Amino acid sequence: NARVLLLKDFSEVGFTFFTNYDSRKGIELAENPQGHLLFFWDELQRQIRIEGQIQKVSRKESEEYFQSRPRGSQIGAIASPQSCEIEDRLFLENKKNTIESEMNGIENLPCPQNWGGYILKPHRFEFWQGRMNRLHDRIIYENDGGVWKIGRLAP
């Protein structure tokens, strides 16, 4: 399945994003913890495709990131039953208002247990460079037991 994500961090270990674990995305990742990231730059005719295993980040890391978010985003994460069908917009607004009222005076809002981060740990990168006449360059890096091997694919 595909969707746009907000990449929040990257390191030598992998690429990190955050979401509701009960969302469709979270349920799909629990069933099949494989993922792909795609970065495309039309103006440069370049893209990078990254494949890897996905796993949850530590609870501590999720809570730290949650606390760094704006209060409105925290309330939105608490209020939203992400990916669930709702009656109408008013349902969401009422839920947000209830949470705001309940959390009034609480400086650090609690990070919901069903919300947190994932990290994609890459095992394959494909770098694509657009060229004339469809003779594009496609260079791959694959991790083979801890050793990165470089190859070239036909366009």
Side-chain angles (χ1 to χ4, degrees), residues 98-153:
T98 299
I99 300 290
E100 282 179 331
S101 180
E102 289 173 355
M103 300 294 174
N104 189 24
I106 298 174
E107 185 176 337
N108 292 319
L109 301 184
C111 178
Q113 287 299 310
N114 67 338
W115 189 94
Y118 290 98
I119 186 166
L120 181 139
K121 296 183 174 185
H123 58 77
R124 180 180 167 125
F125 289 80
E126 179 183 328
F127 294 87
W128 176 88
Q129 173 68 61
R131 299 275 186 215
M132 300 270 298
N133 302 318
R134 291 198 34 77
L135 295 179
H136 312 305
D137 287 326
R138 292 175 67 196
I139 308 300
I140 58 168
Y141 290 74
E142 289 188 280
N143 192 323
D144 184 13
V147 176
W148 286 95
K149 298 195 174 185
I150 304 171
R152 179 180 285 272
L153 301 175

Side-chain angles (χ1 to χ4, degrees), residues 58-123:
S58 71
R59 189 74 205 145
K60 181 178 186 264
E61 188 175 346
S62 291
E63 290 173 352
E64 286 174 358
Y65 175 67
F66 186 82
Q67 293 305 319
S68 77
R69 301 177 81 203
R71 187 174 183 89
S73 295
Q74 292 175 346
I75 290 171
I78 295 167
S80 174
Q82 188 175 343
S83 300
C84 292
E85 191 169 330
I86 59 174
E87 301 166 20
D88 53 25
R89 177 77 190 176
L90 187 59
F91 169 85
L92 201 53
E93 292 290 338
N94 288 339
K95 183 94 169 159
K96 177 192 77 83
N97 292 338
T98 299
I99 300 290
E100 282 179 331
S101 180
E102 289 173 355
M103 300 294 174
N104 189 24
I106 298 174
E107 185 176 337
N108 292 319
L109 301 184
C111 178
Q113 287 299 310
N114 67 338
W115 189 94
Y118 290 98
I119 186 166
L120 181 139
K121 296 183 174 185
H123 58 77

Side-chain angles (χ1 to χ4, degrees), residues 25-73:
K25 173 185 346 69
I27 292 166
E28 289 172 349
L29 288 172
E31 292 173 2
N32 180 12
Q34 308 290 322
H36 294 82
L37 303 175
L38 178 67
F39 300 94
F40 178 66
W41 296 272
D42 186 37
E43 298 82 14
L44 300 176
Q45 282 296 287
R46 290 185 180 172
Q47 80 177 21
I48 302 171
R49 187 168 179 255
I50 305 165
E51 300 176 26
Q53 286 284 118
I54 297 179
Q55 64 186 52
K56 288 181 179 178
V57 301
S58 71
R59 189 74 205 145
K60 181 178 186 264
E61 188 175 346
S62 291
E63 290 173 352
E64 286 174 358
Y65 175 67
F66 186 82
Q67 293 305 319
S68 77
R69 301 177 81 203
R71 187 174 183 89
S73 295

